Amino acid sequence: MESKKEFFLECYKLGIIKFGRFTLKSGIESPFYVDLRPLASDPKILKHLANYLLDMLPLDNFDLICGVPYAALPMATAMSLESYIPLIIKRKEAKDYGTKKMIEGIFTKGQNCLLVEDVITSGKSLLETIPEIENEGISVSDIVVVLDRQQGGKELLESKGYRVHTLFTISEVCGMLQEEGHLSSDEVLRISDFLKGNEVRFEEKKRLSYAQKLDVAEHSVAKRLLEIAVAKQSNLIASADVMTTAELLDLADKVGPHIVALKTHIDIITDFDPDATILPLKDLAAKHNFMLMEDRKFADIGNTQELQFSYGIYKISNWADFVTSQVIGGYDSLDCFRNVGVVAILGMSSKGTLTDAGYHAEALKVAQSHPNVIGGVSQKQIPEELLLFTPGVSMAETGDGKGQQYNTPEKVFNDLHTDFMIVGRGIYKADNPEAAALNYKIAGWNAYTASL
């Protein structure tokens, strides 16, 4: 294989870097423009590039390779062929038909993926790509980049704990080109001055604190929930998926001091009785200062939902502080939930869920505009004016074998800007539910404060 300099000069002949005056997407005028896509059209160069990138890496660390779309896709493919490390493909956006996957290929939860990028500037595209891969249960620890524009992206990613391996920097290639007479000293100086004055800083959007959300909350249920969170220093909602009144009341009494709300599936209580079940449950909620969240997930036309909400044996409207509802019935279907808050189901945590990006976007429009809605259940960030409720939270990131995918408190509060985490089996199946609830309360509050 030729020297690194000789290899770059061969790449340069394909027109991958141009010098002059170029307006970038950001609006900044740059003295150079980088486009590495022509490398994919020269099989010999692409093969050599793959080997140069692989030579920089501890290959035993990786189970998968993935290229950031689109320019890095052929590079990642060539690296996979040279190393025999399996390739997965990340889509730019999910299809609205077929499987609607964001990540294509064969992989298993827990595998470590090497991410491949052609050019790094601010690091923003990588910070957007990594969570979409990690949402599939795949970890990302290392990123390999062909060219670093030296504008802050590498440093940003390394500050977040990622190892970034770069084949070339713009200063390095300018030096090579100057040695070969392709750039003058003045041009190199102009590029150097540009880099010093145009470091790109990607400012992450800061989440609002509970106190800040209290200032803007309009719904009385949202206000009370936030007030309880602040008073108890807790953002924990315990899911009470038990089947008898005795179990429900026992759990509520034990975990009550540590939670902001108890989430019920009241229709699984086998011995339900309005007086024996609901009245003592409401007394416990008052005693320990928590709210009652009925996870009914209403999903019908408005008239039917009103009957389900207010009538029948459960009479949910008489005791629930807030309920969950699908928005598949449209805006008007939520009108029936008077005097309670509604948590809209925008996305589910189960593997293979049909609540894809298109559904999420349309459901979010309803949630933002309907006065009864206080927030949503989602696996991604939602606008700050809504409270985000995230189920599937566990101290350990594991699934249950039935499609449920879990996230840690740190992940949901830092990455998703969750407001309230919902924990089920980690508490009610624990040998000591009270101790488990306390542990989750502390972990959730620490994760929240660390995310501010």
Side-chain angles (χ1 to χ4, degrees), residues 235-425:
N235 43 46
L236 174 62
I237 296 176
S239 183
D241 294 336
V242 294
M243 299 184 66
T244 67
T245 294
E247 290 174 301
L248 176 63
L249 299 179
D250 180 62
L251 181 68
D253 199 22
K254 287 178 178 176
V255 305
H258 310 304
I259 62 175
V260 297
L262 186 74
K263 182 173 79 71
T264 60
H265 286 121
I266 203 65
D267 54 0
I268 68 173
I269 300 297
T270 55
D271 59 347
F272 176 83
D273 177 84
D275 294 329
T277 306
I278 296 301
L279 292 181
L281 183 61
K282 291 177 69 175
D283 288 341
L284 288 170
K287 171 186 174 182
H288 296 301
N289 190 27
F290 65 82
M291 301 180 78
L292 297 175
M293 172 185 182
E294 168 52 24
D295 193 14
R296 176 62 175 78
K297 294 188 178 70
F298 293 91
D300 215 313
I301 61 173
N303 183 66
T304 300
Q305 289 187 163
E306 183 166 14
L307 296 174
Q308 294 169 329
F309 177 55
S310 300
Y311 299 95
I313 61 172
Y314 301 116
K315 293 184 174 60
I316 296 168
S317 62
N318 287 353
W319 54 270
D321 296 299
F322 57 109
V323 299
T324 56
S325 178
Q326 306 283 355
V327 293
I328 194 169
Y331 181 97
D332 292 344
S333 69
L334 304 180
D335 290 345
C336 63
F337 301 115
R338 292 175 292 276
N339 302 318
V340 299
V342 175
V343 177
I345 306 299
L346 307 176
M348 297 179 68
S349 60
S350 54
K351 186 177 180 180
T353 177
L354 300 182
T355 52
D356 60 13
Y359 179 88
H360 185 279
E362 293 303 313
L364 188 57
K365 291 177 185 176
V366 174
Q368 287 181 279
S369 59
H370 202 290
N372 290 347
V373 176
I374 64 170
V377 172
S378 176
Q379 299 302 309
K380 61 179 70 174
Q381 287 188 27
I382 61 176
E384 289 280 6
E385 67 264 25
L386 294 172
L387 299 177
L388 176 56
F389 298 78
T390 304
V393 175
S394 173
M395 296 291 197
E397 288 185 277
T398 56
D400 67 353
K402 299 180 181 179
Q404 176 68 56
Q405 303 295 301
Y406 292 124
N407 288 313
T408 62
E410 293 77 14
K411 181 177 178 62
V412 298
F413 283 100
N414 185 64
D415 295 350
L416 305 183
H417 292 183
T418 291
D419 291 299
F420 297 99
M421 65 179 189
I422 301 173
V423 180
R425 278 164 278 193

Side-chain angles (χ1 to χ4, degrees), residues 135-151:
N135 283 343
E136 298 292 337
I138 302 169
S139 63
V140 175
S141 58
D142 292 70
I143 302 160
V144 64
V145 182
V146 180
L147 180 67
D148 178 11
R149 287 182 56 112
Q150 296 177 277
Q151 292 181 256

Side-chain angles (χ1 to χ4, degrees), residues 188-199:
V188 173
L189 180 60
R190 188 160 64 93
I191 292 168
S192 177
D193 289 341
F194 168 81
L195 294 176
K196 290 176 183 177
N198 288 278
E199 181 175 319

